Amino acid sequence: MVDAMENMENKVSVMNDHPNLAVLRRFATPSLATAWLTAPEEDNDRPAATIAAEDNGAGNPSLLYHTPAGTQRLNSGRDPRGEAERQVALWSEKTALSPHALVVMIGCSGPAHLEALLRRLSEFGAIFVIEPNPDVFRTVWKHGDFTSLLRYPAGMLTFWTGSDPAPALTELKAQLRRHCSGQTAIFSPPGMARCFRDTYADLRQRVEATFGLERCNRRTETIFATGWFRNAVTNLPLLAAAPGVNQLRGRFSGGTAVVVAAGPGLNAMLPWIKSIVGRYPIITVGTALRSLVRAEIEPDFVVAVDGSPEIIPQFQNVTAPHARLVGAFTLHPAVFAFFPQRSFLFTPDLLPGFNYWLGQLGLRPERLRIGGTVSLSAIDLALFLGCRQLVLAGLDLAFGPDGATHAAGTIYEQARITSGAWVKVPDNRGHDVPTSRQFLGYRNIIGDYLTAQTVRNPDLQCYNTSPNGARIAGTIFVAPEQLPELDLPVTPGPREAWVREEPTPADLPSGAAVLAPRLPRLQTELDRAATATGTAVNLLDKTATLTPAILAQLDRVDAELKALPLAALWLEHLISLYDKLAAAPDSDGGLCRRNREFYGRLHDNARWASEVITPISAALGGVKQEKKNG
């Protein structure tokens, strides 16, 4: 990154050696540096730039867009700062801009709009500038004076430019995860939005989908974080005994995998999937398992991520005695019970503190990607196995012609969408197909993932077989009837020899021997954490105002929690969730209530975890004693 920044600064110096370099150092990201370094120079053999600047001596140039049809002025030539202030004021009033929002500014017109926006944001707000045209960014940077922005901290402003929006959206997702208030907005300089209408509209749709996905993730965390934590703790004996997904890495190197999702397009794919059993590994999401088994197809791997007990019916009364579960260790324990001695565990990015604690003990399985839809994890497993030819079945992420949301045979086979907030997206045949905003978010997640993986693995081929499914970036459409024409590498050897690893009695005590001695100290710390947070709860139950005296007592509780490093690791996900929900100033006066919720969650989970450690210790001790007596 240091070299990239130096080279980037040299580029700017060649163009115009002025104090903007200091702004660049503060607000540039590695992604921006890469985009700048790979952008064409202005003096090569390409047509003249279509963007020009008209200096006005005020540090905010007027931009001119030259086309064969004429020239358009993108902002005021006489008073760009005054115009920017008026435009931002009107937009802020219309959108009811929160001072704590993360604002995505699509289009970089110079410092004037940025200054007008920053003046309306608090220390909890931020701006992420995305300019999809590097020529525009370079011209504005060369002629504008951005030094007034140096009075703002680095975290309040980030720049990105590049014609491929995927890296910008990846950076945006990271910023959204760090942003406390959860409030968002999108602003585009009106002149630029008119001139680059299609490009900006497409980018705006992608940004809105990213916002929607983050809102969905926050709601999911708020509802399910406690369940994930309790599932993970309950599954500790399994973590100590069952093999991790590590043992599967590269098992089918260079081979083919069939990845099965539960969309309506799976119906037409079932005959082909049945014909290739034993030739390629079949990886299915849990939702599609029932559909496969009804068609007399037993998959090789079943992938499950959702920790909610609501997924349990997917596995009830389904006979697949040789299928292996690849599951997040935050799954509900009942799901693992359907796959006795046939489970491989992986680490989800859900409980960072707990994950770190497992890593310190050497018990953390390798990670698989998660994000919105379990299909992402199934595809990631295929690549983890080393497969480079992927046949995607049932990955529609759109509604069928009859409104079906899922394939026949799934527990959702009767579901139909007849009305609602549909959006239209291109399908794999070049037509428009209806889908939901949630499915649209999943499509973008998988598309961005596959696009990035294709760059890393140029030999990767992903074949999407759903004619009526949403077109997904990084995939090639192949109709089901065309699949026999593909030259797909066949996995050698008999199917039963593909994966031999099973937990054996000799394997069980190793994890137990590591884990059991660590639990007594952890239990003591959790007891102390429960007592300390219980004090905070009792205190907050008796007041509606956070007086200085109460805040001082809460500070003492926080200090005691910080002195309990193991308990803090276990409860870290709840602490970070509180940061996201309540760190920004509370305009409705409910900060006392939120603190009560925060300490109440910590108290309940610390007490629960301490109590459950006793039977877990007994179970682990029983394993060790059985081995000793044997």
Side-chain angles (χ1 to χ4, degrees), residues 87-135:
Q87 290 172 344
V88 170
L90 182 63
W91 170 82
S92 300
E93 182 179 357
K94 182 178 179 180
T95 60
L97 176 67
S98 165
H100 318 311
L102 172 60
V103 179
V104 172
M105 180 171 164
I106 300 177
C108 184
S109 58
H113 286 103
L114 289 170
E115 291 168 351
L117 286 169
L118 286 165
R119 284 194 294 271
R120 288 167 169 79
L121 296 179
S122 73
E123 61 182 307
F124 297 96
I127 301 175
F128 183 34
V129 182
I130 304 178
E131 175 47 67
N133 187 333
D135 278 341

Short mmCIF file of all heavy atoms in Angstrom, two decimals, residues 87-135:
data_model
loop_
_atom_site.label_atom_id
_atom_site.label_comp_id
_atom_site.label_asym_id
_atom_site.label_seq_id
_atom_site.Cartn_x
_atom_site.Cartn_y
_atom_site.Cartn_z
N GLN A 87 -28.45 23.31 -3.73
CA GLN A 87 -28.87 21.96 -4.12
C GLN A 87 -28.86 21.02 -2.92
O GLN A 87 -29.79 20.22 -2.72
CB GLN A 87 -27.95 21.43 -5.23
CG GLN A 87 -28.14 22.14 -6.55
CD GLN A 87 -27.09 21.74 -7.58
OE1 GLN A 87 -26.06 21.17 -7.25
NE2 GLN A 87 -27.37 22.05 -8.85
N VAL A 88 -27.81 21.09 -2.10
CA VAL A 88 -27.71 20.21 -0.94
C VAL A 88 -28.78 20.57 0.09
O VAL A 88 -29.39 19.69 0.72
CB VAL A 88 -26.30 20.28 -0.32
CG1 VAL A 88 -26.26 19.57 1.04
CG2 VAL A 88 -25.28 19.67 -1.26
N ALA A 89 -29.05 21.88 0.28
CA ALA A 89 -30.08 22.30 1.23
C ALA A 89 -31.45 21.76 0.82
O ALA A 89 -32.22 21.24 1.65
CB ALA A 89 -30.11 23.82 1.33
N LEU A 90 -31.77 21.86 -0.47
CA LEU A 90 -33.06 21.36 -0.96
C LEU A 90 -33.15 19.85 -0.80
O LEU A 90 -34.17 19.32 -0.34
CB LEU A 90 -33.22 21.76 -2.43
CG LEU A 90 -34.55 21.34 -3.09
CD1 LEU A 90 -35.72 22.04 -2.41
CD2 LEU A 90 -34.51 21.69 -4.59
N TRP A 91 -32.08 19.14 -1.15
CA TRP A 91 -32.06 17.68 -1.03
C TRP A 91 -32.16 17.26 0.43
O TRP A 91 -32.89 16.31 0.77
CB TRP A 91 -30.78 17.14 -1.67
CG TRP A 91 -30.55 15.68 -1.40
CD1 TRP A 91 -31.09 14.62 -2.07
CD2 TRP A 91 -29.70 15.12 -0.40
NE1 TRP A 91 -30.64 13.44 -1.53
CE2 TRP A 91 -29.77 13.73 -0.51
CE3 TRP A 91 -28.87 15.67 0.58
CZ2 TRP A 91 -29.06 12.86 0.32
CZ3 TRP A 91 -28.16 14.82 1.41
CH2 TRP A 91 -28.25 13.44 1.28
N SER A 92 -31.44 17.92 1.32
CA SER A 92 -31.45 17.58 2.75
C SER A 92 -32.85 17.72 3.33
O SER A 92 -33.30 16.87 4.12
CB SER A 92 -30.48 18.47 3.53
OG SER A 92 -29.16 18.31 3.06
N GLU A 93 -33.54 18.80 2.94
CA GLU A 93 -34.90 18.98 3.45
C GLU A 93 -35.85 17.94 2.89
O GLU A 93 -36.69 17.39 3.62
CB GLU A 93 -35.38 20.39 3.08
CG GLU A 93 -36.78 20.71 3.59
CD GLU A 93 -37.22 22.11 3.23
OE1 GLU A 93 -36.40 22.85 2.62
OE2 GLU A 93 -38.36 22.48 3.54
N LYS A 94 -35.71 17.63 1.63
CA LYS A 94 -36.60 16.67 0.98
C LYS A 94 -36.43 15.27 1.54
O LYS A 94 -37.39 14.51 1.70
CB LYS A 94 -36.35 16.67 -0.53
CG LYS A 94 -37.26 15.75 -1.32
CD LYS A 94 -36.97 15.84 -2.81
CE LYS A 94 -37.86 14.91 -3.60
NZ LYS A 94 -37.59 14.99 -5.06
N THR A 95 -35.18 14.88 1.84
CA THR A 95 -34.89 13.53 2.33
C THR A 95 -34.89 13.43 3.84
O THR A 95 -34.70 12.33 4.37
CB THR A 95 -33.53 13.05 1.80
OG1 THR A 95 -32.49 13.94 2.26
CG2 THR A 95 -33.52 13.00 0.28
N ALA A 96 -35.07 14.55 4.54
CA ALA A 96 -35.00 14.57 6.02
C ALA A 96 -33.67 13.95 6.47
O ALA A 96 -33.63 13.01 7.26
CB ALA A 96 -36.19 13.83 6.63
N LEU A 97 -32.59 14.49 5.95
CA LEU A 97 -31.25 13.94 6.21
C LEU A 97 -30.96 13.90 7.70
O LEU A 97 -31.09 14.90 8.41
CB LEU A 97 -30.20 14.80 5.50
CG LEU A 97 -28.74 14.41 5.75
CD1 LEU A 97 -28.43 13.05 5.14
CD2 LEU A 97 -27.80 15.48 5.20
N SER A 98 -30.55 12.74 8.18
CA SER A 98 -30.09 12.61 9.56
C SER A 98 -28.65 13.09 9.65
O SER A 98 -27.82 12.76 8.79
CB SER A 98 -30.17 11.16 10.02
OG SER A 98 -29.43 10.97 11.22
N PRO A 99 -28.29 13.83 10.70
CA PRO A 99 -26.89 14.26 10.85
C PRO A 99 -25.94 13.11 11.13
O PRO A 99 -24.73 13.28 11.05
CB PRO A 99 -26.94 15.25 12.03
CG PRO A 99 -28.16 14.87 12.78
CD PRO A 99 -29.15 14.37 11.76
N HIS A 100 -26.50 11.94 11.45
CA HIS A 100 -25.65 10.78 11.76
C HIS A 100 -25.58 9.79 10.60
O HIS A 100 -25.09 8.67 10.76
CB HIS A 100 -26.19 10.06 13.00
CG HIS A 100 -26.62 10.97 14.10
ND1 HIS A 100 -25.84 12.00 14.55
CD2 HIS A 100 -27.77 11.02 14.82
CE1 HIS A 100 -26.49 12.65 15.51
NE2 HIS A 100 -27.65 12.08 15.68
N ALA A 101 -26.04 10.19 9.41
CA ALA A 101 -26.16 9.26 8.28
C ALA A 101 -24.81 9.00 7.62
O ALA A 101 -23.88 9.82 7.67
CB ALA A 101 -27.14 9.80 7.25
N LEU A 102 -24.73 7.85 6.97
CA LEU A 102 -23.67 7.57 6.00
C LEU A 102 -24.23 7.93 4.63
O LEU A 102 -25.17 7.30 4.15
CB LEU A 102 -23.26 6.10 6.04
CG LEU A 102 -22.29 5.64 4.94
CD1 LEU A 102 -20.98 6.41 5.00
CD2 LEU A 102 -22.03 4.14 5.02
N VAL A 103 -23.68 8.97 4.01
CA VAL A 103 -24.16 9.46 2.72
C VAL A 103 -23.26 8.94 1.62
O VAL A 103 -22.04 9.14 1.67
CB VAL A 103 -24.19 11.00 2.68
CG1 VAL A 103 -24.68 11.49 1.32
CG2 VAL A 103 -25.07 11.55 3.80
N VAL A 104 -23.84 8.26 0.65
CA VAL A 104 -23.10 7.88 -0.55
C VAL A 104 -23.33 8.96 -1.60
O VAL A 104 -24.47 9.22 -1.99
CB VAL A 104 -23.54 6.51 -1.08
CG1 VAL A 104 -22.88 6.23 -2.43
CG2 VAL A 104 -23.18 5.41 -0.09
N MET A 105 -22.25 9.60 -2.02
CA MET A 105 -22.34 10.64 -3.04
C MET A 105 -21.88 10.03 -4.36
O MET A 105 -20.70 9.69 -4.54
CB MET A 105 -21.46 11.83 -2.66
CG MET A 105 -21.48 12.96 -3.67
SD MET A 105 -20.61 14.42 -3.01
CE MET A 105 -20.36 15.37 -4.51
N ILE A 106 -22.81 9.85 -5.29
CA ILE A 106 -22.51 9.29 -6.61
C ILE A 106 -22.19 10.44 -7.53
O ILE A 106 -23.07 11.23 -7.91
CB ILE A 106 -23.69 8.46 -7.14
CG1 ILE A 106 -24.01 7.30 -6.18
CG2 ILE A 106 -23.38 7.92 -8.53
CD1 ILE A 106 -25.21 6.48 -6.60
N GLY A 107 -20.92 10.58 -7.89
CA GLY A 107 -20.47 11.68 -8.73
C GLY A 107 -19.63 12.66 -7.94
O GLY A 107 -20.09 13.20 -6.93
N CYS A 108 -18.42 12.89 -8.41
CA CYS A 108 -17.51 13.82 -7.73
C CYS A 108 -17.42 15.10 -8.55
O CYS A 108 -16.76 15.13 -9.59
CB CYS A 108 -16.12 13.18 -7.55
SG CYS A 108 -14.97 14.22 -6.63
N SER A 109 -18.08 16.15 -8.09
CA SER A 109 -18.13 17.40 -8.84
C SER A 109 -17.17 18.45 -8.30
O SER A 109 -17.17 19.58 -8.78
CB SER A 109 -19.57 17.96 -8.78
OG SER A 109 -19.95 18.17 -7.43
N GLY A 110 -16.39 18.11 -7.30
CA GLY A 110 -15.50 19.07 -6.67
C GLY A 110 -15.82 19.20 -5.19
O GLY A 110 -16.70 18.51 -4.66
N PRO A 111 -15.12 20.10 -4.50
CA PRO A 111 -15.29 20.18 -3.04
C PRO A 111 -16.57 20.86 -2.59
O PRO A 111 -16.96 20.70 -1.43
CB PRO A 111 -14.06 20.99 -2.61
CG PRO A 111 -13.70 21.81 -3.80
CD PRO A 111 -14.03 20.96 -4.98
N ALA A 112 -17.25 21.63 -3.44
CA ALA A 112 -18.38 22.44 -2.96
C ALA A 112 -19.51 21.59 -2.40
O ALA A 112 -20.03 21.86 -1.32
CB ALA A 112 -18.89 23.33 -4.09
N HIS A 113 -19.94 20.57 -3.14
CA HIS A 113 -21.01 19.70 -2.64
C HIS A 113 -20.57 18.96 -1.38
O HIS A 113 -21.37 18.76 -0.45
CB HIS A 113 -21.45 18.71 -3.71
CG HIS A 113 -22.27 19.31 -4.81
ND1 HIS A 113 -21.73 19.59 -6.06
CD2 HIS A 113 -23.58 19.71 -4.86
CE1 HIS A 113 -22.68 20.12 -6.83
NE2 HIS A 113 -23.80 20.21 -6.13
N LEU A 114 -19.31 18.55 -1.34
CA LEU A 114 -18.80 17.84 -0.16
C LEU A 114 -18.84 18.74 1.07
O LEU A 114 -19.26 18.31 2.15
CB LEU A 114 -17.38 17.36 -0.41
CG LEU A 114 -17.23 16.20 -1.41
CD1 LEU A 114 -15.77 15.99 -1.76
CD2 LEU A 114 -17.84 14.94 -0.83
N GLU A 115 -18.41 19.98 0.93
CA GLU A 115 -18.42 20.90 2.06
C GLU A 115 -19.85 21.15 2.54
O GLU A 115 -20.12 21.19 3.75
CB GLU A 115 -17.76 22.21 1.66
CG GLU A 115 -16.26 22.10 1.44
CD GLU A 115 -15.67 23.32 0.77
OE1 GLU A 115 -16.46 24.18 0.33
OE2 GLU A 115 -14.43 23.40 0.67
N ALA A 116 -20.78 21.31 1.60
CA ALA A 116 -22.17 21.54 1.98
C ALA A 116 -22.75 20.34 2.72
O ALA A 116 -23.53 20.49 3.67
CB ALA A 116 -23.01 21.85 0.74
N LEU A 117 -22.38 19.15 2.30
CA LEU A 117 -22.85 17.94 2.98
C LEU A 117 -22.20 17.77 4.35
O LEU A 117 -22.89 17.48 5.34
CB LEU A 117 -22.56 16.71 2.12
CG LEU A 117 -23.44 16.49 0.89
CD1 LEU A 117 -22.86 15.40 0.00
CD2 LEU A 117 -24.87 16.12 1.31
N LEU A 118 -20.90 17.97 4.42
CA LEU A 118 -20.19 17.77 5.68
C LEU A 118 -20.68 18.72 6.76
O LEU A 118 -20.71 18.37 7.95
CB LEU A 118 -18.68 17.92 5.46
CG LEU A 118 -18.00 16.75 4.74
CD1 LEU A 118 -16.61 17.14 4.26
CD2 LEU A 118 -17.92 15.53 5.66
N ARG A 119 -21.04 19.93 6.38
CA ARG A 119 -21.55 20.88 7.36
C ARG A 119 -22.85 20.41 8.00
O ARG A 119 -23.21 20.86 9.09
CB ARG A 119 -21.77 22.25 6.71
CG ARG A 119 -20.50 23.04 6.46
CD ARG A 119 -20.81 24.50 6.15
NE ARG A 119 -21.51 24.66 4.89
CZ ARG A 119 -20.90 24.82 3.71
NH1 ARG A 119 -19.57 24.81 3.64
NH2 ARG A 119 -21.61 24.98 2.60
N ARG A 120 -23.54 19.51 7.36
CA ARG A 120 -24.83 19.03 7.87
C ARG A 120 -24.70 17.71 8.63
O ARG A 120 -25.72 17.16 9.09
CB ARG A 120 -25.81 18.87 6.70
CG ARG A 120 -26.28 20.20 6.13
CD ARG A 120 -26.98 20.05 4.81
NE ARG A 120 -27.64 21.31 4.42
CZ ARG A 120 -27.01 22.35 3.89
NH1 ARG A 120 -25.69 22.28 3.66
NH2 ARG A 120 -27.67 23.45 3.59
N LEU A 121 -23.50 17.18 8.76
CA LEU A 121 -23.30 15.90 9.43
C LEU A 121 -22.63 16.09 10.77
O LEU A 121 -21.81 17.00 10.96
CB LEU A 121 -22.45 14.97 8.55
CG LEU A 121 -23.06 14.55 7.21
CD1 LEU A 121 -22.10 13.65 6.46
CD2 LEU A 121 -24.41 13.86 7.40
N SER A 122 -22.95 15.20 11.69
CA SER A 122 -22.32 15.19 13.01
C SER A 122 -21.05 14.35 12.94
O SER A 122 -20.68 13.80 11.89
CB SER A 122 -23.27 14.60 14.05
OG SER A 122 -23.37 13.19 13.87
N GLU A 123 -20.39 14.21 14.07
CA GLU A 123 -19.19 13.38 14.13
C GLU A 123 -19.49 11.92 13.87
O GLU A 123 -18.59 11.12 13.58
CB GLU A 123 -18.53 13.52 15.51
CG GLU A 123 -19.44 13.07 16.66
CD GLU A 123 -18.81 13.25 18.01
OE1 GLU A 123 -17.68 12.78 18.20
OE2 GLU A 123 -19.46 13.90 18.86
N PHE A 124 -20.78 11.54 13.94
CA PHE A 124 -21.16 10.16 13.69
C PHE A 124 -21.54 9.93 12.22
O PHE A 124 -21.80 8.80 11.82
CB PHE A 124 -22.35 9.76 14.58
CG PHE A 124 -22.03 9.80 16.04
CD1 PHE A 124 -22.36 10.92 16.80
CD2 PHE A 124 -21.40 8.74 16.65
CE1 PHE A 124 -22.08 10.97 18.15
CE2 PHE A 124 -21.11 8.78 18.01
CZ PHE A 124 -21.44 9.89 18.76
N GLY A 125 -21.61 11.00 11.44
CA GLY A 125 -21.93 10.88 10.02
C GLY A 125 -20.68 10.67 9.18
O GLY A 125 -19.55 10.81 9.65
N ALA A 126 -20.88 10.33 7.90
CA ALA A 126 -19.74 10.11 6.99
C ALA A 126 -20.23 10.21 5.56
O ALA A 126 -21.43 10.08 5.27
CB ALA A 126 -19.11 8.74 7.24
N ILE A 127 -19.28 10.43 4.63
CA ILE A 127 -19.58 10.50 3.20
C ILE A 127 -18.66 9.53 2.47
O ILE A 127 -17.45 9.51 2.70
CB ILE A 127 -19.39 11.92 2.64
CG1 ILE A 127 -20.29 12.92 3.36
CG2 ILE A 127 -19.69 11.95 1.14
CD1 ILE A 127 -20.05 14.36 2.95
N PHE A 128 -19.24 8.74 1.59
CA PHE A 128 -18.48 7.84 0.73
C PHE A 128 -18.73 8.28 -0.71
O PHE A 128 -19.85 8.17 -1.22
CB PHE A 128 -18.92 6.40 0.95
CG PHE A 128 -18.14 5.38 0.16
CD1 PHE A 128 -16.79 5.56 -0.11
CD2 PHE A 128 -18.75 4.23 -0.31
CE1 PHE A 128 -16.07 4.62 -0.83
CE2 PHE A 128 -18.04 3.28 -1.02
CZ PHE A 128 -16.70 3.48 -1.28
N VAL A 129 -17.70 8.82 -1.38
CA VAL A 129 -17.82 9.36 -2.73
C VAL A 129 -17.46 8.27 -3.74
O VAL A 129 -16.36 7.70 -3.69
CB VAL A 129 -16.90 10.58 -2.94
CG1 VAL A 129 -17.09 11.14 -4.34
CG2 VAL A 129 -17.18 11.64 -1.88
N ILE A 130 -18.38 7.99 -4.65
CA ILE A 130 -18.13 7.02 -5.72
C ILE A 130 -18.24 7.75 -7.05
O ILE A 130 -19.31 8.25 -7.41
CB ILE A 130 -19.14 5.85 -5.70
CG1 ILE A 130 -19.14 5.16 -4.34
CG2 ILE A 130 -18.81 4.85 -6.81
CD1 ILE A 130 -20.16 4.04 -4.24
N GLU A 131 -17.14 7.85 -7.77
CA GLU A 131 -17.14 8.44 -9.10
C GLU A 131 -16.84 7.34 -10.12
O GLU A 131 -15.71 6.85 -10.19
CB GLU A 131 -16.10 9.55 -9.20
CG GLU A 131 -15.95 10.15 -10.60
CD GLU A 131 -17.28 10.47 -11.24
OE1 GLU A 131 -17.97 11.39 -10.75
OE2 GLU A 131 -17.65 9.79 -12.22
N PRO A 132 -17.86 6.91 -10.90
CA PRO A 132 -17.64 5.80 -11.83
C PRO A 132 -16.80 6.14 -13.05
O PRO A 132 -16.43 5.24 -13.80
CB PRO A 132 -19.08 5.40 -12.23
CG PRO A 132 -19.89 6.63 -12.01
CD PRO A 132 -19.25 7.36 -10.87
N ASN A 133 -16.49 7.42 -13.26
CA ASN A 133 -15.71 7.83 -14.43
C ASN A 133 -14.36 8.37 -13.97
O ASN A 133 -14.28 9.49 -13.46
CB ASN A 133 -16.48 8.90 -15.22
CG ASN A 133 -15.81 9.24 -16.53
OD1 ASN A 133 -14.59 9.10 -16.69
ND2 ASN A 133 -16.59 9.70 -17.50
N PRO A 134 -13.27 7.62 -14.14
CA PRO A 134 -11.96 8.10 -13.69
C PRO A 134 -11.55 9.42 -14.35
O PRO A 134 -10.82 10.20 -13.74
CB PRO A 134 -11.01 6.96 -14.08
CG PRO A 134 -11.88 5.74 -14.09
CD PRO A 134 -13.20 6.22 -14.61
N ASP A 135 -12.00 9.67 -15.59
CA ASP A 135 -11.68 10.96 -16.24
C ASP A 135 -12.25 12.13 -15.45
O ASP A 135 -11.61 13.16 -15.26
CB ASP A 135 -12.23 10.98 -17.67
CG ASP A 135 -11.31 10.29 -18.66
OD1 ASP A 135 -10.12 10.12 -18.32
OD2 ASP A 135 -11.78 9.92 -19.74
#
